[in-house]
Amino acid sequence: MLLGIYIPFLLFFLRPYLVFPVARHSESCSVVFESHDGYALFGHDFIKFNVSDYSECALKCMANDTCHSYNLQAKKSRLKYQICELNNQSRISKPGDFKHKQGYIYNGAVPVGLLETLKLNLISFSENYQVRLGHFAANPGKSCKHILESNDSKGDGEYWIDPEGNGNPLKVYCDMKTDGGGWLLTSIFVVDNSTTPPTWTAEPSYRGISKFTNHKMGITISAMKELRRHLSFTQMRFHCSKQQGRTFHVTTAANSSGEAVVQYFSGQTNTQPDSCLSFFRMKDDNSYLARNCTRWGNDGSSNFVGKWGDKGKPSLYHFIAFVATHYHWMTTSSDRLCDDKNDRTFITLSNGDFWKIFVR
């Protein structure tokens, strides 16, 4: 009975965003429609419709007991409709058929009991029945930190944020645990299935951070500057690790020295910041690099100058921190360096080795 009372309200409030708690078969059994931009379920569509908007496709699926998910194709140029494909399976039942497909949005049913529906954080069951912040495009947070401080974190994972507050949110990855949480992932490189890392090009817009699932995502310093203009983040965190080697993991300090690092790597200054006193080591850091800050960097004429970066070559991926001829951070070469170098001290790559940059 309770669910029946709130269905009309929920449909009205959430229909533009394709998130529908709906009763099916009994009051104790309901479904939640999850949404994935740029994906579709292949080989299981049993009927297609031309629809005028998102909610029409969702309602057709909910009205059909055979439908467990649907693919919605974006409107093509000059057409007034979208193609709605109803599927008799879902991402949950056929994970191998769930694949990336540009121009599509997948929406799939996740069956849950009534009480579990309320626990899924779709609804904060308060007087105003507010959607939990950051969990859906319907109600994005300003940043990962904003979501965390609003007590709407569900732990590490995917969230929706709208840094510009202009109604154009994007899905990002948030680290909600490390050092208090609230970290936004802005770069990620993971060695997947091969010890030869793929080539990649830095994203020119901060919105490229939404491509974190491809494991070869990084944004330019100008894009980082754009992001800081909207988010005003005050810290950066650099984390790389090789399974057969060591872990470099540092966070910029909340002081003037740490702020200088943030300004340098977000394109607000060309002055190389001092390394010592500008960061603190995380618990898992066992690098030689972090223990030798006085020997970092190159100022254009000399190595071992106690500075972040390489003079005249500001980059987030090539020698952000290094002790020349000894220990390096690098994600631009095929070798990929994490507290090692490009010669006989090179530590062999393994599946799962990674390089990540976060801001908060």
Side-chain angles (χ1 to χ4, degrees):
M1 182 65 70
L2 179 64
L3 187 61
I5 293 174
Y6 290 111
I7 285 175
F9 171 80
L10 293 173
L11 288 176
F12 175 78
F13 185 75
L14 296 175
R15 61 194 174 100
Y17 307 102
L18 303 176
V19 182
F20 296 93
V22 183
R24 269 190 172 175
H25 308 304
S26 73
E27 288 186 351
S28 63
C29 182
S30 62
V31 298
V32 175
F33 274 80
E34 59 174 5
S35 181
H36 296 274
D37 292 350
Y39 286 85
L41 188 72
F42 286 77
H44 301 287
D45 57 297
F46 64 91
I47 192 170
K48 296 183 180 181
F49 299 94
N50 291 336
V51 296
S52 59
D53 58 28
Y54 289 69
S55 58
E56 184 179 354
C57 189
L59 292 171
K60 286 183 179 295
C61 183
M62 289 186 291
N64 191 315
D65 287 339
T66 304
C67 182
H68 294 282
S69 69
Y70 56 94
N71 307 319
L72 184 66
Q73 184 179 6
K75 293 181 181 179
K76 293 185 179 295
S77 178
R78 298 184 180 180
L79 295 181
K80 297 182 179 180
Y81 62 84
Q82 298 167 278
I83 298 175
C84 172
E85 302 174 352
L86 303 190
N87 302 316
N88 56 16
Q89 299 289 338
S90 71
R91 178 181 71 87
I92 306 301
S93 61
K94 296 292 182 180
D97 297 329
F98 179 67
K99 301 176 182 178
H100 177 71
K101 191 171 185 179
Q102 191 67 33
Y104 275 73
I105 300 174
Y106 166 85
N107 295 269
V110 180
V112 291
L114 174 59
L115 292 179
E116 289 305 307
T117 302
L118 302 181
K119 293 177 182 179
L120 278 176
N121 297 330
L122 292 175
I123 305 296
S124 175
F125 227 68
S126 63
E127 290 184 353
N128 298 318
Y129 307 102
Q130 295 295 315
V131 176
R132 294 291 295 272
L133 193 69
H135 290 219
F136 301 99
N139 194 29
K142 173 74 172 178
S143 65
C144 296
K145 185 179 180 182
H146 178 211
I147 295 168
L148 180 70
E149 292 177 343
S150 299
N151 296 318
D152 285 333
S153 168
K154 61 184 178 182
D156 297 348
E158 298 178 355
Y159 292 85
W160 289 89
I161 66 170
D162 185 3
E164 298 178 55
N166 62 0
N168 187 23
L170 67 158
K171 186 182 290 185
V172 299
Y173 183 88
C174 297
D175 178 341
M176 296 299 200
K177 297 178 182 178
T178 303
D179 188 41
W183 293 99
L184 170 62
L185 180 68
T186 60
S187 300
I188 178 171
F189 306 96
V190 180
V191 178
D192 289 335
N193 305 317
S194 171
T195 54
T196 302
T199 58
W200 64 278
T201 301
E203 297 289 333
S205 167
Y206 81 83
R207 298 187 67 85
I209 62 178
S210 64
K211 298 180 180 181
F212 62 89
T213 55
N214 69 15
H215 287 177
K216 55 176 182 178
M217 178 276 294
I219 61 175
T220 62
I221 284 184
S222 61
M224 190 68 80
K225 183 178 182 179
E226 178 189 12
L227 180 62
R228 194 179 197 215
R229 186 169 66 249
H230 298 305
L231 289 190
S232 300
F233 57 84
T234 59
Q235 288 182 287
M236 300 182 71
R237 180 158 61 89
F238 302 92
H239 190 188
C240 69
S241 184
K242 284 189 173 183
Q243 296 182 50
Q244 298 186 53
R246 297 179 292 275
T247 295
F248 173 69
H249 193 184
V250 302
T251 295
T252 58
N255 57 26
S256 59
S257 295
E259 169 64 17
V261 178
V262 175
Q263 290 187 14
Y264 182 68
F265 287 116
S266 59
Q268 296 174 284
T269 178
N270 291 322
T271 302
Q272 287 178 273
D274 293 334
S275 48
C276 295
L277 303 180
S278 69
F279 68 89
F280 57 90
R281 298 171 61 195
M282 304 301 290
K283 291 181 179 180
D284 59 342
D285 178 86
N286 61 4
S287 67
Y288 295 118
L289 180 56
R291 285 176 277 173
N292 287 274
C293 62
T294 59
R295 293 169 57 78
W296 283 21
N298 180 290
D299 64 3
S301 58
S302 303
N303 292 316
F304 317 120
V305 292
K307 301 284 186 180
W308 286 80
D310 193 356
K311 181 68 172 180
K313 303 175 184 178
S315 172
L316 290 162
Y317 314 109
H318 180 85
F319 293 175
I320 61 162
F322 70 101
V323 174
T325 73
H326 288 84
Y327 320 115
H328 308 75
W329 164 294
M330 178 184 285
T331 60
T332 54
S333 75
S334 59
D335 287 334
R336 299 278 170 91
L337 306 178
C338 179
D339 207 41
D340 52 351
K341 60 177 290 193
N342 267 334
D343 66 2
R344 63 180 179 273
T345 66
F346 175 72
I347 299 170
T348 303
L349 293 172
S350 304
N351 288 342
D353 292 352
F354 65 83
W355 289 255
K356 300 176 184 179
I357 298 176
F358 296 85
V359 302
R360 177 174 67 182

